[in-house]
Structures are given as C-alpha cells and as structure tokens.
Amino acid sequence: MSGFSAEWLALREPYDRAARNGAVRDVLASAFRAHRAIAVVDLACGTGATLRAIGAHLPPRQSWRLVDNDLGLLAKASREGSSPQLTVTTRPVDLVRDLEFALEGPLDFVTASALLDLVSPEWLDRLIIEAAARHLPVYVALTYDGRANFEPQARFDDELLAGFNLHQRTDKGFGPALGPTAPARAVERFAHFGYVITQGRSDWVLGPDDRAMQETLFASLAELASLTTMLSADEIARWLAQRRAFLAQGRSRLQIGHVDIFARPIGTR
C-alpha cells in the first residue's frame, strides 16, 4: 500500500530521483551486471517511479511486477508499457494481508521506495524472512530517518519536526510504524537474517527554487502539529507564516534525511 496521492508522487518524483544514493545503486547494478535478463517486484510501487529511476542501470531485458493496493496508481504505472526488452505487469495486492502473494514466482530481487518507515517491526521481519527464504536481494530506497535541517532557522522548527516524527510512528496500515527508526532497524534485521548490507544517505536537498515542494512540506508539518505538539494554533500559524516568508524572499532551504539500503544474501554471486 502506498498511501500517497498521484499528485504528491508526481511532485516528489524528481527529488526522489536526485536523492537516490549513487553508490548504493551502483552496488545493486554490479550485482546483476552478468545477468542477461532480470525479474523485479516493486512493492508499493505507486506510479512506477522506481522503475523509471533505476531501470537504466539494470540489464536491458527486464520484467517488472508492480504491486500496490491503489488501483488508480496501478493504472498510471501500467502506462510504462511493454517492449521486447521491458515487460511490465501490475498486481493489486494488500501487502498487509498478502505479501507472500506479491513475492510469488521467479524473481531476482525485491525493491520498495519510501515504504519501510511506514511499516511495523513485525511486517519488516516478515518481509525479510520471506525474501531470505527465497534467497532474494532487497533494494529499499528513500526511507525517512528523522533528520531535517531548516535554513534560515525559525522559532518552533524543532517542535514541528518532533511532532512530525511522532506522527511517523503511528499506524499507517501495517501496525504502529517504525518511522524514523526504520533505517537502523532494517540494517540490524537484514544482518540478523544473513544479509550483507550496503547503505547510504539519500536526502532531499531543496533550495529557493523548489518552492512548491517546500510549501507542501511546511503545510503538512503545520497541519500535523496541532495533533502532535503542545503548540497553540497561533504559534503554529506564526511558524508557517515565517517559513512562507523565507520562501517568498528566496532564502528558504530544506534538507530531509533518507537512507537507501541494498541487502544481499550472503553467498550470492
């Protein structure tokens, strides 16, 4: 389940693509360099951004199974189309209930983007156990890790960020979510189940020209703050007004922390 609107996914896609860690992606590509063909399953695929981001770095003959519970997003993802070199199929799946169904059949690796911070510790273990049983590598990208840097600083930045991080731990459909603890937890659990891990930061870096993205993020933080902080409505409104003023002045910069992980079973070639 993606839980994201098509509009939000379209807005964030170029920032996700720019943020993906090149060193982690290169280790992924190297793992399959000798393959003439490759079969991939993309969990919570959204509109297919992961395929668009990494497809060019994989062997030319590719079969992608795009999995999501949102039929509207799957319809958009299906427009990637197929060719003699690229086969794309979509599969509506409730990953809470039917993860095993999503992983059925011949596969070379599993991928997911912006997912692990939304899932519970139990679901993460379930994913790793299922992947390990199939001896499948896993590439998980853009997992939020709780870091954010606001420039210039404004009063209540820390409170708004703390409120957002608190909200990230709430149930997103998979049980109480890992939120910002997800990257560290994933590394620990993949290692526990016999994987070798390559990881690296994949932060969004937003400058004065990225006004729509920053505005969307600031508005979301302000909306959640009324539920997750002790700030008054007036204090939240003042914070949002200050951040919008920095945007209007061309001064606002924002960095949001993410981590990419490529986990490979020990002994794979």
Side-chain angles (χ1 to χ4, degrees):
M1 56 172 58
S2 70
F4 298 135
S5 70
E7 293 76 16
W8 166 241
L9 293 176
L11 178 62
R12 66 175 288 171
E13 182 169 348
Y15 301 101
D16 286 342
R17 185 186 292 249
R20 285 178 185 268
N21 187 283
V24 177
R25 185 194 59 220
D26 289 347
V27 173
L28 165 68
S30 178
F32 298 104
R33 190 161 290 137
H35 290 229
R36 299 181 64 182
I38 194 166
V40 187
V41 60
D42 184 11
L43 305 178
C45 67
T47 63
T50 299
L51 165 57
R52 292 188 288 273
I54 69 171
H57 301 275
L58 298 173
R61 178 161 293 190
Q62 300 172 27
S63 175
W64 283 75
R65 180 190 304 160
L66 305 183
V67 172
D68 207 289
N69 75 331
D70 187 315
L71 295 179
L73 296 180
L74 283 178
K76 292 180 180 294
S78 69
R79 295 171 192 166
E80 289 298 318
S82 296
S83 69
Q85 294 286 81
L86 174 65
T87 301
V88 178
T89 59
T90 58
R91 180 178 289 186
V93 176
D94 179 346
L95 290 175
V96 178
R97 186 185 63 206
D98 296 323
L99 172 62
E100 296 76 10
F101 173 62
L103 300 176
E104 282 183 352
L107 292 169
D108 292 295
F109 76 94
V110 180
T111 188
S113 297
L115 176 64
L116 291 195
D117 46 291
L118 306 180
V119 308
S120 66
E122 294 77 15
W123 192 92
L124 174 63
D125 271 7
R126 185 174 156 209
L127 169 63
I128 297 173
I129 290 168
E130 292 295 333
R134 295 164 172 79
H135 214 57
L136 290 173
V138 182
Y139 171 63
V140 283
L142 301 159
T143 303
Y144 176 63
D145 69 357
R147 293 177 295 112
N149 183 50
F150 302 85
E151 294 182 10
Q153 292 185 347
R155 190 182 181 195
F156 303 132
D157 284 344
D158 291 344
E159 289 84 351
L160 270 290
L161 178 60
F164 178 74
N165 286 340
L166 181 63
H167 181 267
Q168 287 299 99
R169 300 298 301 272
T170 61
D171 191 340
K172 304 299 189 298
F174 296 82
L178 285 162
T181 70
R185 175 78 177 192
V187 167
E188 187 273 323
R189 299 309 287 165
F190 274 117
H192 177 81
F193 285 102
Y195 279 77
V196 176
I197 296 102
T198 302
Q199 63 176 312
R201 289 184 174 182
S202 51
D203 296 357
W204 287 340
V205 180
L206 311 177
D209 293 335
D210 304 311
R211 291 185 61 175
M213 185 66 161
Q214 290 199 53
E215 167 63 31
T216 299
L217 293 171
F218 294 147
S220 296
L221 287 170
E223 182 178 358
L224 292 174
S226 63
L227 304 174
T228 57
T229 75
M230 299 297 291
L231 297 176
S232 68
D234 285 345
E235 288 170 328
I236 295 168
R238 287 201 300 272
W239 175 86
L240 184 56
Q242 181 65 82
R243 297 250 57 104
R244 285 172 168 166
F246 290 148
L247 271 175
Q249 296 160 9
R251 301 170 59 202
S252 183
R253 297 180 182 275
L254 179 63
Q255 185 167 344
I256 303 292
H258 300 94
V259 176
D260 290 355
I261 296 168
F262 178 54
R264 193 175 184 187
I266 293 173
T268 56
R269 293 179 177 270

